[in-house]
Amino acid sequence: MLKIGDSLEIKETVDETMLAVTMGSGELAVLATPSVVALMENAASTLLKSGLDDGITSVGSEINIEHISPTPVGARVRAKATLTEISGRVFKFSVEAYDNKGLIARGSHTRVSVNADKFQLKADEKFNEI
């Protein structure tokens, strides 16, 4: 059972696929903000998955981060998500990311638990023509 204060950390090595220049979010060979966001979401999603019933997953519904320091290719980074609030199907997290020199990003993230099959079906049928 998940509780307020539970946290999870994931670690990655920055590779070429994670760079701003590769992702199109900038011109430099530094860790892209979308990559930081993905790492943070991964930490929150993985933490939440451990407390959800079979057939239930979560989807991100909001993220707000401040990316405050650049990180080069080859650096080790870690993203941490800490559960701060539970309200029904809504789960809020504090998120942070670090490289070996310290904090590189911080913010908040919200996820909502959903029935995986129903949610996927809704998405798949979104543009069906009748």
Side-chain angles (χ1 to χ4, degrees), residues 15-125:
D15 66 28
E16 299 288 332
T17 66
M18 301 166 75
L19 301 180
V21 67
T22 304
M23 297 190 81
S25 67
E27 299 176 3
L28 299 174
V30 295
L31 181 63
T33 301
S35 294
V36 174
V37 168
L39 291 169
M40 292 172 158
E41 280 202 275
N42 186 354
S45 174
T46 302
L47 173 61
L48 191 51
K49 183 177 180 70
S50 70
L52 297 177
D53 294 335
D54 289 341
I56 304 298
T57 191
S58 68
V59 294
S61 64
E62 182 179 349
I63 191 155
N64 180 4
I65 74 155
E66 178 184 17
H67 192 173
I68 56 179
S69 181
T71 304
V73 69
R76 290 287 292 165
V77 293
R78 56 189 171 93
K80 180 180 179 182
T82 303
L83 186 59
T84 59
E85 184 180 331
I86 302 170
S87 180
R89 299 183 319 125
V90 178
F91 300 83
K92 296 190 177 190
F93 299 86
S94 169
V95 289
E96 300 169 328
Y98 299 85
D99 63 19
N100 290 342
K101 296 293 185 178
L103 183 70
I104 61 170
R106 62 180 165 229
S108 60
H109 178 43
T110 302
R111 299 191 71 78
V112 178
S113 64
V114 297
N115 178 291
D117 291 337
K118 287 181 183 178
F119 192 89
Q120 187 64 59
L121 183 62
K122 180 180 178 181
D124 292 346
E125 293 180 343

